[in-house]
Amino acid sequence: MADTARSRLQQAAVELFRERGFDSTTAAEIAARAGVTERTFFRHFADKREVLFDGQAVLLEALLAAIDDIPRDAPPLDTLFRAFQSVCPLLIANRPFSEPRQAVIAATPSLQERELAKTAALAAALAQALSARGVSDDRAAFAAQIGMAVFAHVTAAWLDKSEPGLTERLDRAYHDLQTLI
């Protein structure tokens, strides 16, 4: 991560959340650890939860752009898994933040709930993108929910243990998914 106020705030937050717990850490403490004012914290993040979930918009934008680049006649799950593969470099580059972030979320029930809500929102957006490609609404929703469930599982497993790599895990998961039918 570049040494910007935003990245310093994210790093400070993850460190404090791991040391003290999410609920026991304040925005003021995060700002102080990052060497900025509390006002600067709130210029970058609406609340301390968003420090952990800030990347969702970037991920969604990248996934939607990838879907736009995939031929329209590709089947829905194939489209999604190709889009997931396209964002692997982004996730791999962000692993130094994502790995401790995942540990904080795993230790905090309210953050687990937030993660589920964010994942559901991503699935809904992916379903919309598939529908816009001519996939029926039901098929688009099924594919998006299944795809996001697999993508979330694979990503969490990769953050827990880096080998095999993320792209290999996604390939295996797509193959395994195809054999379930």
Side-chain angles (χ1 to χ4, degrees):
M1 241 183 247
D3 187 25
T4 65
R6 185 179 203 81
S7 64
R8 288 195 322 268
L9 285 163
Q10 288 175 311
Q11 186 62 41
V14 167
E15 289 170 2
L16 286 167
F17 295 159
R18 292 191 82 183
E19 290 169 15
R20 301 180 188 171
F22 176 81
D23 294 327
S24 299
T25 302
T26 66
E29 292 168 330
I30 295 167
R33 169 86 53 106
V36 299
T37 65
E38 188 173 2
R39 186 176 192 172
T40 298
F41 176 92
F42 287 110
R43 276 192 210 122
H44 291 280
F45 304 103
D47 59 43
K48 66 182 185 177
R49 291 178 310 173
E50 285 308 304
V51 172
L52 299 172
F53 296 100
D54 180 57
Q56 294 283 14
V58 172
L59 177 62
L60 177 59
E61 184 179 318
L63 287 169
L64 294 177
I67 288 171
D68 282 345
D69 290 341
I70 295 166
R72 293 181 74 80
D73 61 346
L77 279 176
D78 185 58
T79 298
L80 291 177
F81 275 82
R82 288 169 67 180
F84 295 151
Q85 285 287 1
S86 77
V87 299
C88 284
L90 175 69
L91 297 176
I92 292 166
N94 204 41
R95 185 184 173 99
F97 175 74
S98 298
E99 191 174 345
R101 170 197 175 271
Q102 195 64 32
V104 170
I105 291 169
T108 313
S110 64
L111 295 177
Q112 293 169 20
E113 183 178 327
R114 178 79 168 182
E115 177 90 327
L116 289 172
K118 291 283 192 170
T119 300
L122 280 171
L126 294 176
Q128 260 186 332
L130 291 173
S131 291
R133 294 167 61 91
V135 178
S136 74
D137 289 345
D138 283 342
R139 284 176 46 101
F142 295 155
Q145 289 177 19
I146 291 166
M148 276 308 302
V150 173
F151 184 63
H153 174 80
V154 165
T155 303
W158 169 73
L159 287 171
D160 186 49
K161 184 179 176 188
S162 64
E163 292 300 326
L166 182 58
T167 57
E168 183 180 341
R169 284 176 189 263
L170 276 170
D171 285 343
R172 284 183 187 174
Y174 186 53
H175 172 73
D176 289 346
L177 187 61
Q178 290 173 325
T179 65
L180 292 175
I181 298 172

